[in-house]
Structures are given as C-alpha cells and as structure tokens.
Amino acid sequence: MTRTVGYLGPQGTYCEEAVLHIYSKTDVCLQPFTGIDDAIRAVGSGTVDESIVPVENSLEGSVNITLDTMAHDVNLYITKEIVLPVRHNLLMKKGSEEIAVIVSHPQALAQCRKTLGKLYPKAKLKPVESTAAAARIVATCDGLCAAVGSLRAGEFNGLTVAASNIQDIASNSTRFIGLQRQPIVCEPGNCKTTLVCQINGEQPGSLYNLLGEFAQRQVNLMRIESRPARTGLGMYIFFFDIEGSIAESNIAAAISAIEKKCLWYKNLGSYPVYHVEK
Amino acid sequence: MTRTVGYLGPQGTYCEEAVLHIYSKTDVCLQPFTGIDDAIRAVGSGTVDESIVPVENSLEGSVNITLDTMAHDVNLYITKEIVLPVRHNLLMKKGSEEIAVIVSHPQALAQCRKTLGKLYPKAKLKPVESTAAAARIVATCDGLCAAVGSLRAGEFNGLTVAASNIQDIASNSTRFIGLQRQPIVCEPGNCKTTLVCQINGEQPGSLYNLLGEFAQRQVNLMRIESRPARTGLGMYIFFFDIEGSIAESNIAAAISAIEKKCLWYKNLGSYPVYHVEK
C-alpha cells in the first residue's frame, strides 16, 4: 500500500519543499493539512503514516503549536529532522507596479520586515494563514498586492518574482520534523534525541540538578525550550534536544537518570538530521 | 507634566485592564498602540514615559515579540509586573442567534478552542489583531459573527455576553510588564529580577555551569526562556527570571558571576509584582 505523508499545506509551502527533499511524489501519497495540529493528529488517528511539520525557525524560534500538540495531545515519535534554508521572495502579478498591501504568514512578514520597509515603505503588511495561501490571494487580487513566499508558490500561482532573497538575515533556516506512531532505531552518528519532561519547579536548583545528569556524562545539550505546563502560571515543561542516539550508553544512562527525577516524562525518540543544501 | 503610559490597544484589551489596575485615567495620559513593538519602541524614543505590554500567558507561553524587542531593539528596564487573571467571554450583537464566524486574537481563540468547539461546532474561528478589535468587528458585522474578549470590550462596543468564562482551563492568567528608560530600586520582598544573556553554546555544559552560579548561592530561578540569537540555527539567548532583588547580596554576586561567563548580557532590572484579584 502506498505510504501517506501529511504536511502543512497548501501546495507551495516551505513545508512541502522539506517533504520533497525526502520523498518523491511518485513514491508516496502527499496529503496537505491546513493546520499544524491537524497534520500531527492525523498521524495519531492513523489517517496518515507520517506527518512533516515545522518545529523551529532560526529567527522566530519555536513553533509552539507543534511542541504543545506533541506534549499534550498525541503519543508520537520524531523519526527525522530536515533543515531547510529559507529564501523568501516578493511575488506579484505580471504587470503590477504599485503595491499597497503585502500578504504572508506572520513569521514570513516578520522575517522580511526591514527589507519590505525599504522597498515599499507605504505598503501595509497583512498576515494570512500561510505563505502559499498568500500567493493564491495575490493571484486573484486587483494587482495592488504582493505576497512573501517561496519560488514554488510563485510558479504554482503564475506570479512573477519582483525581488528574491528578501529575508532580513541571510542565515534564515527552518527545522521540520517527521512524526510517526513508532520510534525508529537511529545508529550513532548525525543523530539527535528529544525528551520532554516536567520537573518540580518549586524545589530551587531542580533544573540545575537535571542538567547535571547530562553534563556529568558529557552529553551535549543542543537546545532547551520551556513551554507552559498548563497547570498554572510559573509551571513549565522542558524540551531537551541532545546530540546523539539513545543507542549510545552515556545517553541511555542520562535519560534513565532524568526519567527518575521528573514528575512527567516522554522520550520523543532518536532520529537522523538531513540538511537541504543552500 | 502628566505622565504618559503606552499600552497594547485599542481600548478594551486585557492590557488596558492591567494598566488600569495600576494607574487611574485621571492621573496619567494613556496612549494605546496597535503593536507591542510600537508600544515598547515609544518608550525608547521618549514618546511615552512607560509602556505596559504582555510578556507571558499561562497557557500560550511567552509573547515572543516582547522578549525579542527588549533583547535586540531597545535598552529599557522592567519596573513592574502585573499578573491578571484572564476571563474570556463570548460577545455578540443583541438578537444574534446563529453564529457562523468567531473572531479574536489567535491566543484567545486557542485558549477557548475546546469550549467553542462544544458550543458552536460549525463556527469558523478567524484570527484578528486583538480581542478589542474583534469586539469592534462584531459590532459592525451582519449578526452572524461573535467575538472572544473581555467584559470591557463588550460594554465598550454595545455587545451582549452570550457565554462567560469560556476559557478551557480556569487557571488562565497573563503577565504584563511595565518598561521604562531607567531602572528602579526594588527593596527585597515580592521582587523579581530579569536577565538576558548569550552563552557559548558550543561548549558542552555551558548552560549547566551558568545555572550553577544561581544554585550554589541559593538563588531561585523562576523561569528560563530561550529565544533565537538570530545569528544562526542552534544559537540562543536566555531570559532568566529570578526570585528577589539585586539589592540582595547573594543575587548581586550571582549576577556578577554570570556577567563574566556570558558572550553578551543585559540586566533588565529588579521590580515588584502586583497580582490582580480574581
């Protein structure tokens, strides 16, 4: 049976670009979702075999809905990470000259704010649900609007590229993760492991003691992200990205020690990282 | 001269509610801003004496634009914190029956999603820029729409309350901070101190070593939040909220030790915390 892979659609999103770096359209059945949480829940319910969703951007930070859905609403595992360099383009209808409104996903607008302010100081920035939806809106507008989005989104909607690489900071990239119902076995080498847990924040030094379990075993903590535990202000859960696989003994030992110290804990899996070339 | 206080407007926002807990309209000149970053930058440029903006919600987490603007774009100090319990209401025009669209700020919609799904399973949720703007939109709509917002926003726009306390989790509250150009002196007792810094993340254990400066001096870390350093994926700055004032010797010593270990560092000040009664 053909494998079904969900992603944050519609067609032409950066998320689709990440999916197509891993899968060919002829090998899998791609299913776009309008919301990140819908794409994730579809894996949990068995509607799709895997979903690929954004989890972090180098300028805008974590995609909270991805972290919160993984922590609170489903029991899935991360099976791959794809790092995609983000190059935004200003897309408009052929023959457009004046631009009164620029539409895009709020994060894309934020990532280009300085450049857009220089190019079109009078244009109003208007957030819409995705960069791909923005391109679709421009294709049907009166010619006074433009979209920030990918080259694919522009081609897909018959738009021209008025300016390319308009992101304010060149080193802009987004991390996407693939989620499945079962964990994979990730052999050591180019592997990451993600945990999420809640500690007793009322004990001073509890986070310090937890990080000590990594430090004393030379486990490299690549990222720590706190999110509300949703049990009240001042109570948090923590996501830890660590370098390496649970197949390595020092990492397995650190994780086992951390599990004992937490009020609540989930191992989200060990997985390989793919970098899309610039 | 009358003191001018900026806040995230328009009139009727929860932010205005927080401001009015501290200031009376007869004593200060209140100035609403449409964007959080505009409100913060207005303090830096001297347009207002102080701005009060949201920084964290107990369900949705940090308000990233507040943290990023404070870290990267201005040099201001936190001079107060106001914790406001959030009670969302469903507001509609008098005589409305069918509801096809529910508008509000994306965070407010997220905080009521389950309740709204039960009350109006077919209604479409549409994000707009603020809860107050949502109420204004409903006041001028065709009667098929409703807004999620505060009682003040409802009164202000002549709407009726179709359902009150519709947030999914009762313990929902938002932290607001006041920002000024000069730090205040906060005497020990009911005080918090906030730092932001960048550490050398390539050295394993660097965050652990930093937290050790707090732990060995019995300084209680209340919150840690990472945000992108904006210099590339995997590089972060950290916000630390600690219990107490820099006027306390152990806290002053910890901060001084941390300053020496960081690549970059800002002390955002010690400040009192005000809780609005439920």
Side-chain angles (χ1 to χ4, degrees):
Chain A
M1 217 175 76
T2 311
R3 184 179 171 75
T4 309
V5 178
Y7 68 98
L8 178 66
Q11 287 187 289
T13 55
Y14 292 101
C15 190
E16 192 190 52
E17 217 174 305
V19 173
L20 293 175
H21 182 73
I22 299 289
Y23 296 110
S24 145
K25 273 188 178 171
T26 51
D27 296 339
V28 296
C29 171
L30 293 184
Q31 186 171 338
F33 288 87
T34 53
I36 290 175
D37 51 337
D38 294 335
I40 297 175
R41 285 203 183 91
V43 186
S45 66
T47 310
V48 298
D49 296 300
E50 178 179 5
S51 271
I52 293 182
V53 292
V55 68
E56 188 189 14
N57 174 268
S58 58
L59 295 179
E60 297 303 312
S62 286
V63 180
N64 294 335
I65 185 79
T66 301
L67 299 182
D68 292 349
T69 307
M70 283 202 297
H72 299 291
D73 300 332
V74 293
N75 283 307
L76 299 175
Y77 296 90
I78 305 174
T79 54
K80 58 179 69 70
E81 173 176 310
I82 308 149
V83 182
L84 182 81
V86 173
R87 280 177 297 257
H88 289 307
N89 304 278
L90 191 69
L91 309 166
M92 55 177 76
K93 268 186 162 172
K94 287 185 179 79
S96 288
E97 280 177 13
E98 246 179 289
I99 293 301
V101 180
I102 301 173
V103 293
S104 197
H105 187 274
Q107 287 210 343
L109 290 176
Q111 289 162 20
C112 302
R113 194 169 48 184
K114 286 179 191 168
T115 310
L116 293 176
K118 272 181 219 160
L119 291 174
Y120 297 96
K122 288 180 186 163
K124 206 185 152 189
L125 305 187
K126 198 180 155 196
V128 296
E129 66 261 39
S130 72
T131 52
R136 218 166 39 189
I137 289 167
V138 169
T140 59
C141 87
D142 56 9
L144 292 176
C145 57
V148 173
S150 70
L151 288 179
R152 277 184 62 77
E155 282 165 23
F156 206 81
N157 290 282
L159 302 176
T160 56
V161 177
S164 54
N165 274 316
I166 56 167
Q167 61 279 0
D168 294 336
I169 297 179
S171 63
N172 185 5
S173 36
T174 296
R175 291 171 53 223
F176 294 86
I177 48 175
L179 295 169
Q180 294 180 235
R181 288 181 291 280
Q182 294 299 325
I184 58 159
V185 178
C186 188
E187 297 301 331
N190 198 28
C191 231
K192 273 170 80 170
T193 299
T194 298
L195 311 175
V196 53
C197 65
Q198 184 173 3
I199 54 178
N200 182 351
E202 291 183 3
Q203 281 184 317
S206 51
L207 179 62
Y208 174 69
N209 289 334
L210 205 71
L211 297 190
E213 301 294 347
F214 295 128
Q216 73 193 45
R217 293 177 180 89
Q218 284 79 49
V219 173
N220 188 23
L221 179 65
M222 301 173 82
R223 178 172 173 244
I224 173 173
E225 182 71 50
S226 68
R227 289 291 304 151
R230 297 189 169 178
T231 49
L233 203 61
M235 293 198 265
Y236 302 98
I237 57 172
F238 290 94
F239 287 82
F240 298 109
D241 282 359
I242 57 183
E243 193 176 354
S245 165
I246 198 167
E248 294 163 60
S249 61
N250 62 330
I251 292 179
I255 289 178
S256 158
I258 278 172
E259 188 173 358
K260 290 187 191 105
K261 285 190 171 178
C262 290
L263 297 176
W264 169 85
Y265 155 97
K266 264 189 199 182
N267 181 349
L268 298 175
S270 297
Y271 49 90
V273 179
Y274 302 95
H275 287 267
V276 179
E277 300 273 308
K278 294 211 175 193
Chain B
M1 219 175 78
T2 312
R3 186 179 168 74
T4 310
V5 178
Y7 68 97
L8 178 65
Q11 288 187 287
T13 55
Y14 292 101
C15 191
E16 192 191 50
E17 216 173 305
V19 173
L20 292 175
H21 182 71
I22 299 288
Y23 295 111
S24 145
K25 273 189 178 172
T26 51
D27 296 340
V28 297
C29 171
L30 294 183
Q31 187 171 339
F33 287 88
T34 52
I36 289 175
D37 52 336
D38 295 334
I40 297 175
R41 286 202 184 91
V43 186
S45 66
T47 310
V48 298
D49 297 300
E50 179 179 4
S51 273
I52 293 182
V53 292
V55 68
E56 189 190 13
N57 173 268
S58 58
L59 294 179
E60 297 303 311
S62 287
V63 181
N64 294 335
I65 185 80
T66 301
L67 299 182
D68 292 350
T69 306
M70 283 202 298
H72 299 291
D73 300 333
V74 293
N75 283 307
L76 299 175
Y77 296 89
I78 306 175
T79 54
K80 59 178 68 71
E81 173 177 309
I82 307 150
V83 182
L84 182 81
V86 173
R87 280 178 296 257
H88 289 306
N89 304 277
L90 192 68
L91 309 167
M92 53 178 76
K93 268 186 162 173
K94 288 185 177 79
S96 287
E97 281 178 12
E98 246 179 290
I99 294 301
V101 181
I102 300 173
V103 292
S104 198
H105 187 273
Q107 286 209 344
L109 291 176
Q111 289 162 20
C112 304
R113 195 168 48 186
K114 285 179 192 168
T115 310
L116 293 176
K118 272 179 219 160
L119 291 175
Y120 296 96
K122 288 180 186 163
K124 206 185 149 188
L125 305 187
K126 198 178 155 198
V128 297
E129 66 261 38
S130 71
T131 51
R136 217 165 41 188
I137 289 167
V138 169
T140 58
C141 87
D142 56 9
L144 293 175
C145 56
V148 173
S150 70
L151 288 180
R152 275 184 63 78
E155 282 166 25
F156 207 79
N157 290 281
L159 303 176
T160 56
V161 178
S164 55
N165 275 316
I166 57 166
Q167 60 280 0
D168 295 336
I169 297 178
S171 63
N172 185 4
S173 38
T174 297
R175 290 171 54 223
F176 294 86
I177 48 173
L179 295 168
Q180 294 180 233
R181 288 181 291 280
Q182 295 299 326
I184 58 159
V185 177
C186 188
E187 296 304 329
N190 198 28
C191 231
K192 273 169 80 170
T193 299
T194 299
L195 310 175
V196 53
C197 65
Q198 184 173 3
I199 53 179
N200 183 352
E202 292 184 1
Q203 282 182 318
S206 50
L207 178 62
Y208 174 69
N209 290 334
L210 205 70
L211 296 190
E213 301 294 347
F214 294 128
Q216 73 192 47
R217 293 178 181 90
Q218 284 78 49
V219 172
N220 187 23
L221 180 64
M222 302 173 81
R223 178 170 172 245
I224 174 173
E225 182 70 51
S226 67
R227 290 291 304 151
R230 299 191 167 176
T231 48
L233 203 61
M235 294 198 264
Y236 302 98
I237 57 173
F238 291 94
F239 287 82
F240 298 110
D241 283 359
I242 57 183
E243 193 176 353
S245 164
I246 197 166
E248 293 163 61
S249 61
N250 63 329
I251 292 179
I255 289 178
S256 160
I258 278 171
E259 187 173 359
K260 290 186 191 105
K261 285 190 170 176
C262 291
L263 296 175
W264 169 86
Y265 155 97
K266 265 190 199 180
N267 181 348
L268 297 176
S270 298
Y271 50 91
V273 179
Y274 302 95
H275 288 266
V276 178
E277 299 274 309
K278 292 209 179 195

